Amino acid sequence: MIFKKRQFSSYFIIGIIILTICNNAFAQKISQFNIAQYGAIGDGKKLNTEVIQKVIDMANEKGGGRVIIPDGRFLSGTLQLKSNVELYLEKKAVLLGSTNPFDYKKIPMPGLPKSPKTDDHPQMALLVAYNATNISISGKGLINGQGRDLALNVDSLHQNGIVVDPHYSVGANRPNEKMRPKLIGFADCKKVKLTGVSFKNSSCWGLTFELCADMILDGIKLTNRAYWNNDGMDITDCKNVKITNCYINAADDGICLKSYYPGHFNDSIYVSKCTVISGASAVKFGTASYGGFKNVSIENIKIFDTFRSAIAIESVDGGIIENIKVNHIRAKNTGNAIFIRLGHRDGVTPGVVKNIYMGDIRVEIPFQRADIKYDIRADEPGYHNPFPSSITGIPGYKVQNVVLENIRITYPGRATKGQAYFALSRIGKISEKIQNYPEFSMFGELPAWALYVRHAQGITMRNVTLKLKNDDFRPALVFDDVDGVSLNEIKLPNLNKKEIFLKDVQNVKIDNALNSKK
């Protein structure tokens, strides 16, 4: 066969490309380490901590690789994931947390900055990583912490005087979270990736990350309802985090951003396309808020059966919250829609809460408890009518520049003065509760059914529809000590009463607010 010069050149180039691809594939071939080949036994009874840790260490020492958890039930205590190691769980693989508290240990983390809140975060966990780079957990398997049995065993140690919990809650009959292992505790790590894996049943919080950077959490299913105080994901002072396509069902807060370290922030956080069910708040900033939160975008979130707030944004420890965007939220059977709070629980001076945009939000508030069907339920506040959303600062420190746009919230109504009553004539008597734990119910009975705003500056509401399923004697909107209120296209129920109440409010602009009177 005779080739023309142009044909030869083409075939030569194609050959070089194929050779390059093959060479790259060979160079990038992942070293694989199947734990069963090194003696791990997946019968759910044999403790495999030592074997699995040796395999992880081996992969790390050889420059990295994939540690495979094959089909089976592999029992283990604390494991430390190390740089360049991927923990891969096959489809029928289960990494089973031991129910023996003595199988867990605290990994020293000497490089973490000091926190006013605690000196030993992220505490004990089934999977720990510290100062590691390029680590991942992937596959289609399950990590099961067996949290209820583990927590009850921790409790038994305390009751029998074997390991005494100095912070044991006598009134609630339960051990403190410091004594109960989590599923994941990563700190000071970079290039972290969790994809596809299912997690369930921690004895404490589920997945915790502190001072980490460049993280991807995608396609995770997390069911954490084994015990009290079961948060879903806790992201603390991390940078460049992307959380997408996740399902979280938690007995406590679902996706929780925290800040334990002054001078550090949760910065550049993106959360999208997640479904959250929570016994507390679905998406929450705080309560720990020493450094702060900035440049956070949350969108396309579905929320169901959540006892407290769909979105809670809180700074009470001196932290700064700024440049927050919340968009396209759908929440059903949720006790509260929006809770924004600037308080002063801890820290030298109060923090800052400013520049918050919340748009395209639909929430349905029930009359009954939203968590009524769960076996683990939160404390019920005292006598009250249905709570409104709220935006509150404290005297001298105002929440600044909040935009609520394209919002529709449906409230149950049925408020009665026989259940609870706070007359508008006594509005100045509502307690400030400056140092209290922040919660949508913290003020007790409030004189509004839809939104209560106090100590704020620059509140804009555009195209907001507020609905009632039944009558409510309170006005829809109450503003107290607010500088700058802009209401445009506010749709309120067709009721023969004043729906907007203003006290000590300056620079007010109301356009096209239906069925309302100033």
Side-chain angles (χ1 to χ4, degrees), residues 26-194:
F26 180 79
Q28 295 175 5
K29 184 178 180 180
I30 299 173
S31 298
Q32 301 196 31
F33 305 84
N34 190 316
I35 63 169
Q37 295 176 357
Y38 294 89
I41 298 174
D43 61 358
K45 299 178 182 179
K46 172 68 175 179
L47 189 67
N48 296 283
T49 311
E50 185 176 348
V51 172
I52 300 174
Q53 188 63 60
K54 285 183 178 179
V55 177
I56 291 172
D57 294 345
M58 183 190 309
N60 167 255
E61 291 166 2
K62 292 188 176 183
R66 171 179 285 179
V67 173
I68 299 174
I69 310 292
D71 293 351
R73 295 167 60 82
F74 293 88
L75 187 69
S76 180
T78 295
L79 298 169
Q80 184 174 4
L81 201 58
K82 298 186 177 180
S83 293
N84 302 313
V85 174
E86 174 191 10
L87 189 67
Y88 180 84
L89 288 89
E90 294 185 342
K91 187 174 182 179
K92 296 182 180 179
V94 180
L95 180 61
L96 204 59
S98 171
T99 60
N100 183 351
F102 293 107
D103 290 332
Y104 297 86
K105 60 182 179 180
K106 294 183 179 180
I107 303 297
M109 299 182 178
L112 293 186
K114 187 175 181 180
S115 165
K117 182 72 173 177
T118 179
D119 291 327
D120 57 1
H121 275 268
Q123 306 159 7
M124 294 179 293
L126 176 59
L127 289 169
V128 176
Y130 171 62
N131 195 24
T133 300
N134 189 29
I135 56 176
S136 62
I137 303 174
S138 63
K140 298 296 182 181
L142 170 67
I143 297 176
N144 181 356
Q146 301 195 95
R148 184 167 298 175
D149 289 339
L150 176 56
L152 292 175
N153 287 338
V154 171
D155 184 74
S156 295
L157 292 176
H158 174 83
Q159 300 297 341
N160 289 288
I162 299 172
V163 179
V164 177
D165 177 2
H167 303 287
Y168 190 88
S169 177
V170 177
N173 292 313
R174 55 199 182 194
N176 185 269
E177 63 264 16
K178 292 182 179 181
M179 304 296 291
R180 294 179 277 119
K182 306 168 186 175
L183 289 177
I184 284 182
F186 289 1
D188 195 25
C189 295
K190 297 178 178 63
K191 296 183 180 179
V192 177
K193 190 173 183 179
L194 277 65

Side-chain angles (χ1 to χ4, degrees), residues 375-391:
D375 56 348
I376 299 175
R377 298 172 303 283
D379 292 336
E380 173 71 14
Y383 294 108
H384 65 89
N385 287 303
F387 290 111
S389 293
S390 61
I391 302 171

Side-chain angles (χ1 to χ4, degrees), residues 248 255 274-278 280-283 298 300-312 326 328-337 361-364:
I248 300 103
I255 299 174
C274 293
T275 297
V276 183
I277 298 170
S278 168
S281 293
V283 179
I298 299 168
N300 298 313
I301 307 296
K302 295 180 181 179
I303 298 168
F304 300 97
D305 303 336
T306 290
F307 176 64
R308 293 191 173 118
S309 302
I311 306 293
V326 181
H328 196 78
I329 307 297
R330 300 292 183 265
K332 292 185 178 181
N333 193 37
T334 298
N336 177 253
I361 294 175
R362 307 286 184 268
V363 184
E364 295 183 12

Side-chain angles (χ1 to χ4, degrees), residues 261-291:
Y261 304 99
H264 295 266
F265 294 83
N266 270 316
D267 188 0
S268 301
I269 312 294
Y270 178 71
V271 183
S272 179
K273 298 180 181 178
C274 293
T275 297
V276 183
I277 298 170
S278 168
S281 293
V283 179
K284 179 179 177 181
F285 295 62
T287 297
S289 46
Y290 289 92

